[in-house]
Amino acid sequence: MLDLKLLQRQPEMVAQALLERRSEMRMEDFQALDERRRALLGQAEAIKSARNKISDQIAALKRQGGDAGDLTRQSNTLAEQVAALDAETGEVKAAQQEWMLRVPNLPHASVPRGQDENDNQEVSRWGTPPAFDFTPREHWDLGMALGGLDFDRGSKLTGSRFAVSWGWAARLERALANFFLDMQTNEHGYTEILPPQIVNRKTMQGTGNLPKFAADLFKLENWEYFLIPTAEVPLTNLHADETLEEAALPLAYTAQTACFRSEAGSAGKDTRGLIRQHQFTKVEMVRFALPARSFDELEVMRGHAENLLKRLDLPYRVVTLCTGDMGFSAAKTYDLEVWLPGQNKYREISSCSNCTDFQARRANIRFRPKGGGKPEFLHTLNGSGLPVGRTLVAIMENGQQKDGSFILPKALRPYMDGREQIGPA
């Protein structure tokens, strides 16, 4: 959520930022509501002032033994008018709050201006895509041929965009999750959390998933509960309505959870394989930082995601998302895109974002400065570290061999009882 004072004092700047973010929200709507709110408050104050004067007259008249009936009736009429104005003011404030909840974060000055993914800027590349003396296969062909990925039974059990992992595939997913968590906790300094994977409406609102993205969520029938789309949601809200001490920052949390996404608006995209499933496993990173340090923390988090890919020897590139391609809550985002030989292109495997104080305002998360003074909103950051399914895809495709097997990265072999290769049974 943006600062109300910023919206009121710098409407032109915000309006330009909304255009750059391709948002449908318009500052004119906010200004009309704000003007109406101010007008109603002014009217109410004027009537309250008039009523106070009448109250003084009533008191004076009663002290003299006079009849204050007419003045009392006038006072009651004014009280009714104030009540009506207060009710209307409440409605306008609610509409203004709803508008503010649907406005995206403002892009940082370092974010490239652009319309879509074609305007994203490449930052760096690591690793060399493998060269094959055969036509590389896509992961679903490899996985099904090796008996590990079963999309037909996933569809039978639930529906499209679900899969069943058998044997080596289930074991490899578990190995990846454990490897990610070990790296994050032992080497990167994150505290491991096991949060609920069902959260309430307030929690979803705190990270910006509601109200704007309700269609992307799975809601429990007859409950105001939702399945989480990512562990970012519960991890960020761990400190909702709390004030932390400056000395405690930064804080770093990681969690492995299932993630559930309806993939609204993705009809026809990645209909085969594991790239875009309704349910998948991911290890998430969340950091709480001082405002003056948050963009440094973004670089730290990006480095942590890169370390995972390097350890797995997976070629990747880093891009900075442009204003038209960034997520709703982000002020700046790096995407890490891993090379997939089967598709012959880089595909997103991690997004690392600085949300500045946008989520902290929604969730009411503050810190108390060391030198005293009024508590301030801190900055929140989040990143994938990493999604298990997409990493499995990258390992299979980059390590594939002509006979249909694939080589396991050395870093994973201790988690697979020393196994070096997955091949036909």
Side-chain angles (χ1 to χ4, degrees), residues 231-263:
E232 170 200 345
V233 176
L235 291 183
T236 301
N237 282 276
L238 282 173
H239 295 297
D241 298 317
E242 295 181 18
T243 299
L244 306 177
E245 296 299 327
E246 179 179 338
L249 300 174
L251 291 173
Y253 299 143
T254 188
Q256 172 206 337
T257 66
C259 304
F260 304 89
R261 299 182 184 179
S262 72
E263 295 295 345

PDB file of all heavy atoms in Angstrom, residues 231-263:
ATOM      1  N   ALA A 231       5.095 -19.410  -0.054  1.00  0.00           N
ATOM      2  CA  ALA A 231       5.371 -19.217   1.371  1.00  0.00           C
ATOM      3  C   ALA A 231       5.674 -17.768   1.706  1.00  0.00           C
ATOM      4  O   ALA A 231       5.727 -17.403   2.885  1.00  0.00           O
ATOM      5  CB  ALA A 231       6.537 -20.102   1.808  1.00  0.00           C
ATOM      6  N   GLU A 232       5.885 -16.925   0.697  1.00  0.00           N
ATOM      7  CA  GLU A 232       6.035 -15.488   0.943  1.00  0.00           C
ATOM      8  C   GLU A 232       4.882 -14.953   1.782  1.00  0.00           C
ATOM      9  O   GLU A 232       5.079 -14.085   2.637  1.00  0.00           O
ATOM     10  CB  GLU A 232       6.080 -14.739  -0.395  1.00  0.00           C
ATOM     11  CG  GLU A 232       5.987 -13.219  -0.270  1.00  0.00           C
ATOM     12  CD  GLU A 232       5.562 -12.560  -1.566  1.00  0.00           C
ATOM     13  OE1 GLU A 232       5.616 -13.214  -2.627  1.00  0.00           O
ATOM     14  OE2 GLU A 232       5.157 -11.387  -1.522  1.00  0.00           O
ATOM     15  N   VAL A 233       3.678 -15.481   1.545  1.00  0.00           N
ATOM     16  CA  VAL A 233       2.488 -14.953   2.223  1.00  0.00           C
ATOM     17  C   VAL A 233       2.558 -15.161   3.741  1.00  0.00           C
ATOM     18  O   VAL A 233       2.500 -14.195   4.501  1.00  0.00           O
ATOM     19  CB  VAL A 233       1.206 -15.560   1.624  1.00  0.00           C
ATOM     20  CG1 VAL A 233      -0.026 -15.078   2.394  1.00  0.00           C
ATOM     21  CG2 VAL A 233       1.082 -15.181   0.146  1.00  0.00           C
ATOM     22  N   PRO A 234       2.696 -16.399   4.243  1.00  0.00           N
ATOM     23  CA  PRO A 234       2.779 -16.540   5.703  1.00  0.00           C
ATOM     24  C   PRO A 234       4.079 -16.004   6.297  1.00  0.00           C
ATOM     25  O   PRO A 234       4.077 -15.454   7.403  1.00  0.00           O
ATOM     26  CB  PRO A 234       2.648 -18.053   5.925  1.00  0.00           C
ATOM     27  CG  PRO A 234       3.083 -18.673   4.647  1.00  0.00           C
ATOM     28  CD  PRO A 234       2.656 -17.719   3.576  1.00  0.00           C
ATOM     29  N   LEU A 235       5.205 -16.139   5.583  1.00  0.00           N
ATOM     30  CA  LEU A 235       6.480 -15.671   6.142  1.00  0.00           C
ATOM     31  C   LEU A 235       6.479 -14.156   6.332  1.00  0.00           C
ATOM     32  O   LEU A 235       6.924 -13.644   7.366  1.00  0.00           O
ATOM     33  CB  LEU A 235       7.645 -16.084   5.239  1.00  0.00           C
ATOM     34  CG  LEU A 235       7.971 -17.577   5.160  1.00  0.00           C
ATOM     35  CD1 LEU A 235       9.194 -17.795   4.282  1.00  0.00           C
ATOM     36  CD2 LEU A 235       8.187 -18.176   6.547  1.00  0.00           C
ATOM     37  N   THR A 236       5.997 -13.419   5.347  1.00  0.00           N
ATOM     38  CA  THR A 236       5.963 -11.953   5.460  1.00  0.00           C
ATOM     39  C   THR A 236       5.043 -11.519   6.579  1.00  0.00           C
ATOM     40  O   THR A 236       5.322 -10.539   7.288  1.00  0.00           O
ATOM     41  CB  THR A 236       5.517 -11.327   4.129  1.00  0.00           C
ATOM     42  OG1 THR A 236       6.420 -11.723   3.097  1.00  0.00           O
ATOM     43  CG2 THR A 236       5.493  -9.802   4.215  1.00  0.00           C
ATOM     44  N   ASN A 237       3.945 -12.226   6.754  1.00  0.00           N
ATOM     45  CA  ASN A 237       2.956 -11.835   7.757  1.00  0.00           C
ATOM     46  C   ASN A 237       3.261 -12.361   9.156  1.00  0.00           C
ATOM     47  O   ASN A 237       2.481 -12.116  10.083  1.00  0.00           O
ATOM     48  CB  ASN A 237       1.564 -12.298   7.328  1.00  0.00           C
ATOM     49  CG  ASN A 237       0.964 -11.409   6.264  1.00  0.00           C
ATOM     50  OD1 ASN A 237       0.382 -10.374   6.569  1.00  0.00           O
ATOM     51  ND2 ASN A 237       1.105 -11.803   5.008  1.00  0.00           N
ATOM     52  N   LEU A 238       4.379 -13.050   9.334  1.00  0.00           N
ATOM     53  CA  LEU A 238       4.756 -13.508  10.671  1.00  0.00           C
ATOM     54  C   LEU A 238       4.816 -12.340  11.649  1.00  0.00           C
ATOM     55  O   LEU A 238       4.504 -12.481  12.836  1.00  0.00           O
ATOM     56  CB  LEU A 238       6.117 -14.205  10.626  1.00  0.00           C
ATOM     57  CG  LEU A 238       6.156 -15.631  10.091  1.00  0.00           C
ATOM     58  CD1 LEU A 238       7.600 -16.100   9.965  1.00  0.00           C
ATOM     59  CD2 LEU A 238       5.369 -16.577  10.991  1.00  0.00           C
ATOM     60  N   HIS A 239       5.230 -11.161  11.165  1.00  0.00           N
ATOM     61  CA  HIS A 239       5.388 -10.000  12.043  1.00  0.00           C
ATOM     62  C   HIS A 239       4.320  -8.933  11.796  1.00  0.00           C
ATOM     63  O   HIS A 239       4.543  -7.762  12.107  1.00  0.00           O
ATOM     64  CB  HIS A 239       6.788  -9.414  11.873  1.00  0.00           C
ATOM     65  CG  HIS A 239       7.874 -10.330  12.328  1.00  0.00           C
ATOM     66  ND1 HIS A 239       7.998 -10.738  13.641  1.00  0.00           N
ATOM     67  CD2 HIS A 239       8.873 -10.953  11.648  1.00  0.00           C
ATOM     68  CE1 HIS A 239       9.034 -11.549  13.760  1.00  0.00           C
ATOM     69  NE2 HIS A 239       9.577 -11.697  12.569  1.00  0.00           N
ATOM     70  N   ALA A 240       3.176  -9.338  11.235  1.00  0.00           N
ATOM     71  CA  ALA A 240       2.082  -8.390  11.033  1.00  0.00           C
ATOM     72  C   ALA A 240       1.666  -7.786  12.370  1.00  0.00           C
ATOM     73  O   ALA A 240       1.592  -8.479  13.393  1.00  0.00           O
ATOM     74  CB  ALA A 240       0.892  -9.087  10.377  1.00  0.00           C
ATOM     75  N   ASP A 241       1.419  -6.475  12.366  1.00  0.00           N
ATOM     76  CA  ASP A 241       0.983  -5.730  13.559  1.00  0.00           C
ATOM     77  C   ASP A 241       2.024  -5.774  14.684  1.00  0.00           C
ATOM     78  O   ASP A 241       1.693  -5.696  15.865  1.00  0.00           O
ATOM     79  CB  ASP A 241      -0.363  -6.253  14.076  1.00  0.00           C
ATOM     80  CG  ASP A 241      -1.479  -6.079  13.060  1.00  0.00           C
ATOM     81  OD1 ASP A 241      -1.551  -5.000  12.440  1.00  0.00           O
ATOM     82  OD2 ASP A 241      -2.264  -7.026  12.867  1.00  0.00           O
ATOM     83  N   GLU A 242       3.305  -5.905  14.319  1.00  0.00           N
ATOM     84  CA  GLU A 242       4.383  -5.909  15.303  1.00  0.00           C
ATOM     85  C   GLU A 242       5.351  -4.764  15.040  1.00  0.00           C
ATOM     86  O   GLU A 242       5.458  -4.266  13.912  1.00  0.00           O
ATOM     87  CB  GLU A 242       5.146  -7.234  15.265  1.00  0.00           C
ATOM     88  CG  GLU A 242       4.327  -8.448  15.682  1.00  0.00           C
ATOM     89  CD  GLU A 242       5.143  -9.723  15.653  1.00  0.00           C
ATOM     90  OE1 GLU A 242       6.395  -9.630  15.645  1.00  0.00           O
ATOM     91  OE2 GLU A 242       4.542 -10.811  15.625  1.00  0.00           O
ATOM     92  N   THR A 243       6.056  -4.357  16.086  1.00  0.00           N
ATOM     93  CA  THR A 243       7.140  -3.387  15.966  1.00  0.00           C
ATOM     94  C   THR A 243       8.426  -4.067  16.406  1.00  0.00           C
ATOM     95  O   THR A 243       8.561  -4.472  17.561  1.00  0.00           O
ATOM     96  CB  THR A 243       6.871  -2.142  16.828  1.00  0.00           C
ATOM     97  OG1 THR A 243       5.660  -1.510  16.395  1.00  0.00           O
ATOM     98  CG2 THR A 243       8.020  -1.141  16.711  1.00  0.00           C
ATOM     99  N   LEU A 244       9.361  -4.204  15.483  1.00  0.00           N
ATOM    100  CA  LEU A 244      10.630  -4.871  15.757  1.00  0.00           C
ATOM    101  C   LEU A 244      11.684  -3.846  16.169  1.00  0.00           C
ATOM    102  O   LEU A 244      11.568  -2.659  15.861  1.00  0.00           O
ATOM    103  CB  LEU A 244      11.099  -5.617  14.511  1.00  0.00           C
ATOM    104  CG  LEU A 244      10.097  -6.601  13.892  1.00  0.00           C
ATOM    105  CD1 LEU A 244      10.672  -7.201  12.620  1.00  0.00           C
ATOM    106  CD2 LEU A 244       9.720  -7.699  14.880  1.00  0.00           C
ATOM    107  N   GLU A 245      12.702  -4.300  16.837  1.00  0.00           N
ATOM    108  CA  GLU A 245      13.811  -3.428  17.201  1.00  0.00           C
ATOM    109  C   GLU A 245      14.777  -3.326  16.023  1.00  0.00           C
ATOM    110  O   GLU A 245      15.037  -4.309  15.333  1.00  0.00           O
ATOM    111  CB  GLU A 245      14.531  -3.964  18.436  1.00  0.00           C
ATOM    112  CG  GLU A 245      13.686  -3.994  19.697  1.00  0.00           C
ATOM    113  CD  GLU A 245      13.194  -2.618  20.114  1.00  0.00           C
ATOM    114  OE1 GLU A 245      13.928  -1.622  19.894  1.00  0.00           O
ATOM    115  OE2 GLU A 245      12.080  -2.539  20.664  1.00  0.00           O
ATOM    116  N   GLU A 246      15.315  -2.127  15.805  1.00  0.00           N
ATOM    117  CA  GLU A 246      16.237  -1.930  14.696  1.00  0.00           C
ATOM    118  C   GLU A 246      17.411  -2.904  14.769  1.00  0.00           C
ATOM    119  O   GLU A 246      17.874  -3.427  13.746  1.00  0.00           O
ATOM    120  CB  GLU A 246      16.751  -0.491  14.679  1.00  0.00           C
ATOM    121  CG  GLU A 246      17.742  -0.209  13.563  1.00  0.00           C
ATOM    122  CD  GLU A 246      18.225   1.221  13.540  1.00  0.00           C
ATOM    123  OE1 GLU A 246      17.544   2.111  14.089  1.00  0.00           O
ATOM    124  OE2 GLU A 246      19.307   1.458  12.955  1.00  0.00           O
ATOM    125  N   ALA A 247      17.891  -3.173  15.980  1.00  0.00           N
ATOM    126  CA  ALA A 247      19.047  -4.053  16.153  1.00  0.00           C
ATOM    127  C   ALA A 247      18.773  -5.483  15.678  1.00  0.00           C
ATOM    128  O   ALA A 247      19.702  -6.238  15.393  1.00  0.00           O
ATOM    129  CB  ALA A 247      19.474  -4.063  17.618  1.00  0.00           C
ATOM    130  N   ALA A 248      17.496  -5.860  15.584  1.00  0.00           N
ATOM    131  CA  ALA A 248      17.147  -7.218  15.160  1.00  0.00           C
ATOM    132  C   ALA A 248      17.230  -7.394  13.650  1.00  0.00           C
ATOM    133  O   ALA A 248      17.228  -8.523  13.150  1.00  0.00           O
ATOM    134  CB  ALA A 248      15.748  -7.570  15.641  1.00  0.00           C
ATOM    135  N   LEU A 249      17.281  -6.289  12.914  1.00  0.00           N
ATOM    136  CA  LEU A 249      17.252  -6.346  11.456  1.00  0.00           C
ATOM    137  C   LEU A 249      18.666  -6.414  10.883  1.00  0.00           C
ATOM    138  O   LEU A 249      19.590  -5.825  11.451  1.00  0.00           O
ATOM    139  CB  LEU A 249      16.508  -5.125  10.911  1.00  0.00           C
ATOM    140  CG  LEU A 249      15.051  -4.997  11.370  1.00  0.00           C
ATOM    141  CD1 LEU A 249      14.450  -3.691  10.898  1.00  0.00           C
ATOM    142  CD2 LEU A 249      14.219  -6.173  10.868  1.00  0.00           C
ATOM    143  N   PRO A 250      18.855  -7.116   9.760  1.00  0.00           N
ATOM    144  CA  PRO A 250      17.811  -7.781   8.972  1.00  0.00           C
ATOM    145  C   PRO A 250      17.448  -9.153   9.553  1.00  0.00           C
ATOM    146  O   PRO A 250      18.247  -9.775  10.249  1.00  0.00           O
ATOM    147  CB  PRO A 250      18.475  -7.944   7.605  1.00  0.00           C
ATOM    148  CG  PRO A 250      19.929  -8.115   7.934  1.00  0.00           C
ATOM    149  CD  PRO A 250      20.184  -7.204   9.105  1.00  0.00           C
ATOM    150  N   LEU A 251      16.233  -9.580   9.246  1.00  0.00           N
ATOM    151  CA  LEU A 251      15.781 -10.928   9.562  1.00  0.00           C
ATOM    152  C   LEU A 251      15.644 -11.695   8.262  1.00  0.00           C
ATOM    153  O   LEU A 251      15.252 -11.133   7.236  1.00  0.00           O
ATOM    154  CB  LEU A 251      14.426 -10.887  10.279  1.00  0.00           C
ATOM    155  CG  LEU A 251      14.411 -10.320  11.698  1.00  0.00           C
ATOM    156  CD1 LEU A 251      12.976 -10.202  12.183  1.00  0.00           C
ATOM    157  CD2 LEU A 251      15.216 -11.209  12.640  1.00  0.00           C
ATOM    158  N   ALA A 252      15.967 -12.986   8.287  1.00  0.00           N
ATOM    159  CA  ALA A 252      15.905 -13.811   7.079  1.00  0.00           C
ATOM    160  C   ALA A 252      15.231 -15.135   7.409  1.00  0.00           C
ATOM    161  O   ALA A 252      15.676 -15.860   8.301  1.00  0.00           O
ATOM    162  CB  ALA A 252      17.311 -14.049   6.529  1.00  0.00           C
ATOM    163  N   TYR A 253      14.148 -15.442   6.695  1.00  0.00           N
ATOM    164  CA  TYR A 253      13.388 -16.671   6.919  1.00  0.00           C
ATOM    165  C   TYR A 253      13.310 -17.478   5.618  1.00  0.00           C
ATOM    166  O   TYR A 253      13.254 -16.916   4.516  1.00  0.00           O
ATOM    167  CB  TYR A 253      11.964 -16.357   7.384  1.00  0.00           C
ATOM    168  CG  TYR A 253      11.876 -15.607   8.691  1.00  0.00           C
ATOM    169  CD1 TYR A 253      10.905 -14.625   8.884  1.00  0.00           C
ATOM    170  CD2 TYR A 253      12.746 -15.864   9.749  1.00  0.00           C
ATOM    171  CE1 TYR A 253      10.809 -13.928  10.086  1.00  0.00           C
ATOM    172  CE2 TYR A 253      12.666 -15.181  10.940  1.00  0.00           C
ATOM    173  CZ  TYR A 253      11.695 -14.205  11.104  1.00  0.00           C
ATOM    174  OH  TYR A 253      11.615 -13.520  12.293  1.00  0.00           O
ATOM    175  N   THR A 254      13.279 -18.793   5.774  1.00  0.00           N
ATOM    176  CA  THR A 254      13.077 -19.667   4.621  1.00  0.00           C
ATOM    177  C   THR A 254      12.079 -20.751   4.989  1.00  0.00           C
ATOM    178  O   THR A 254      11.961 -21.122   6.171  1.00  0.00           O
ATOM    179  CB  THR A 254      14.410 -20.297   4.161  1.00  0.00           C
ATOM    180  OG1 THR A 254      14.214 -20.982   2.926  1.00  0.00           O
ATOM    181  CG2 THR A 254      14.952 -21.279   5.193  1.00  0.00           C
ATOM    182  N   ALA A 255      11.359 -21.249   3.993  1.00  0.00           N
ATOM    183  CA  ALA A 255      10.368 -22.300   4.244  1.00  0.00           C
ATOM    184  C   ALA A 255      10.157 -23.117   2.986  1.00  0.00           C
ATOM    185  O   ALA A 255      10.182 -22.594   1.869  1.00  0.00           O
ATOM    186  CB  ALA A 255       9.039 -21.695   4.694  1.00  0.00           C
ATOM    187  N   GLN A 256       9.958 -24.409   3.189  1.00  0.00           N
ATOM    188  CA  GLN A 256       9.531 -25.291   2.104  1.00  0.00           C
ATOM    189  C   GLN A 256       8.046 -25.554   2.277  1.00  0.00           C
ATOM    190  O   GLN A 256       7.606 -26.021   3.333  1.00  0.00           O
ATOM    191  CB  GLN A 256      10.287 -26.617   2.145  1.00  0.00           C
ATOM    192  CG  GLN A 256       9.745 -27.653   1.143  1.00  0.00           C
ATOM    193  CD  GLN A 256      10.008 -29.078   1.569  1.00  0.00           C
ATOM    194  OE1 GLN A 256      10.912 -29.343   2.351  1.00  0.00           O
ATOM    195  NE2 GLN A 256       9.199 -30.002   1.072  1.00  0.00           N
ATOM    196  N   THR A 257       7.264 -25.239   1.261  1.00  0.00           N
ATOM    197  CA  THR A 257       5.821 -25.481   1.326  1.00  0.00           C
ATOM    198  C   THR A 257       5.316 -25.928  -0.038  1.00  0.00           C
ATOM    199  O   THR A 257       5.985 -25.748  -1.056  1.00  0.00           O
ATOM    200  CB  THR A 257       5.022 -24.218   1.712  1.00  0.00           C
ATOM    201  OG1 THR A 257       5.144 -23.242   0.667  1.00  0.00           O
ATOM    202  CG2 THR A 257       5.486 -23.640   3.031  1.00  0.00           C
ATOM    203  N   ALA A 258       4.131 -26.484  -0.026  1.00  0.00           N
ATOM    204  CA  ALA A 258       3.388 -26.618  -1.275  1.00  0.00           C
ATOM    205  C   ALA A 258       2.842 -25.242  -1.636  1.00  0.00           C
ATOM    206  O   ALA A 258       2.573 -24.420  -0.759  1.00  0.00           O
ATOM    207  CB  ALA A 258       2.263 -27.626  -1.107  1.00  0.00           C
ATOM    208  N   CYS A 259       2.697 -24.986  -2.919  1.00  0.00           N
ATOM    209  CA  CYS A 259       2.139 -23.726  -3.405  1.00  0.00           C
ATOM    210  C   CYS A 259       0.974 -24.051  -4.339  1.00  0.00           C
ATOM    211  O   CYS A 259       1.047 -25.010  -5.117  1.00  0.00           O
ATOM    212  CB  CYS A 259       3.196 -22.927  -4.169  1.00  0.00           C
ATOM    213  SG  CYS A 259       4.702 -22.577  -3.231  1.00  0.00           S
ATOM    214  N   PHE A 260      -0.069 -23.248  -4.267  1.00  0.00           N
ATOM    215  CA  PHE A 260      -1.285 -23.536  -5.022  1.00  0.00           C
ATOM    216  C   PHE A 260      -1.696 -22.295  -5.813  1.00  0.00           C
ATOM    217  O   PHE A 260      -1.919 -21.230  -5.233  1.00  0.00           O
ATOM    218  CB  PHE A 260      -2.419 -23.946  -4.074  1.00  0.00           C
ATOM    219  CG  PHE A 260      -2.076 -25.109  -3.188  1.00  0.00           C
ATOM    220  CD1 PHE A 260      -1.483 -24.910  -1.946  1.00  0.00           C
ATOM    221  CD2 PHE A 260      -2.334 -26.408  -3.596  1.00  0.00           C
ATOM    222  CE1 PHE A 260      -1.162 -25.986  -1.126  1.00  0.00           C
ATOM    223  CE2 PHE A 260      -2.007 -27.490  -2.781  1.00  0.00           C
ATOM    224  CZ  PHE A 260      -1.420 -27.272  -1.547  1.00  0.00           C
ATOM    225  N   ARG A 261      -1.788 -22.450  -7.126  1.00  0.00           N
ATOM    226  CA  ARG A 261      -2.136 -21.314  -7.981  1.00  0.00           C
ATOM    227  C   ARG A 261      -3.142 -21.749  -9.044  1.00  0.00           C
ATOM    228  O   ARG A 261      -2.956 -22.785  -9.697  1.00  0.00           O
ATOM    229  CB  ARG A 261      -0.884 -20.743  -8.653  1.00  0.00           C
ATOM    230  CG  ARG A 261       0.140 -20.235  -7.634  1.00  0.00           C
ATOM    231  CD  ARG A 261       1.356 -19.637  -8.295  1.00  0.00           C
ATOM    232  NE  ARG A 261       2.325 -19.253  -7.271  1.00  0.00           N
ATOM    233  CZ  ARG A 261       3.510 -18.705  -7.540  1.00  0.00           C
ATOM    234  NH1 ARG A 261       3.855 -18.464  -8.797  1.00  0.00           N
ATOM    235  NH2 ARG A 261       4.340 -18.387  -6.561  1.00  0.00           N
ATOM    236  N   SER A 262      -4.159 -20.931  -9.226  1.00  0.00           N
ATOM    237  CA  SER A 262      -5.185 -21.278 -10.208  1.00  0.00           C
ATOM    238  C   SER A 262      -4.698 -21.053 -11.628  1.00  0.00           C
ATOM    239  O   SER A 262      -5.269 -21.579 -12.579  1.00  0.00           O
ATOM    240  CB  SER A 262      -6.447 -20.442  -9.974  1.00  0.00           C
ATOM    241  OG  SER A 262      -6.227 -19.094 -10.362  1.00  0.00           O
ATOM    242  N   GLU A 263      -3.603 -20.258 -11.784  1.00  0.00           N
ATOM    243  CA  GLU A 263      -3.060 -19.922 -13.103  1.00  0.00           C
ATOM    244  C   GLU A 263      -4.113 -19.258 -13.984  1.00  0.00           C
ATOM    245  O   GLU A 263      -4.213 -19.503 -15.184  1.00  0.00           O
ATOM    246  CB  GLU A 263      -2.487 -21.160 -13.801  1.00  0.00           C
ATOM    247  CG  GLU A 263      -1.292 -21.770 -13.099  1.00  0.00           C
ATOM    248  CD  GLU A 263      -0.074 -20.865 -13.074  1.00  0.00           C
ATOM    249  OE1 GLU A 263      -0.039 -19.890 -13.835  1.00  0.00           O
ATOM    250  OE2 GLU A 263       0.841 -21.122 -12.267  1.00  0.00           O
TER     251      GLU A 263
END
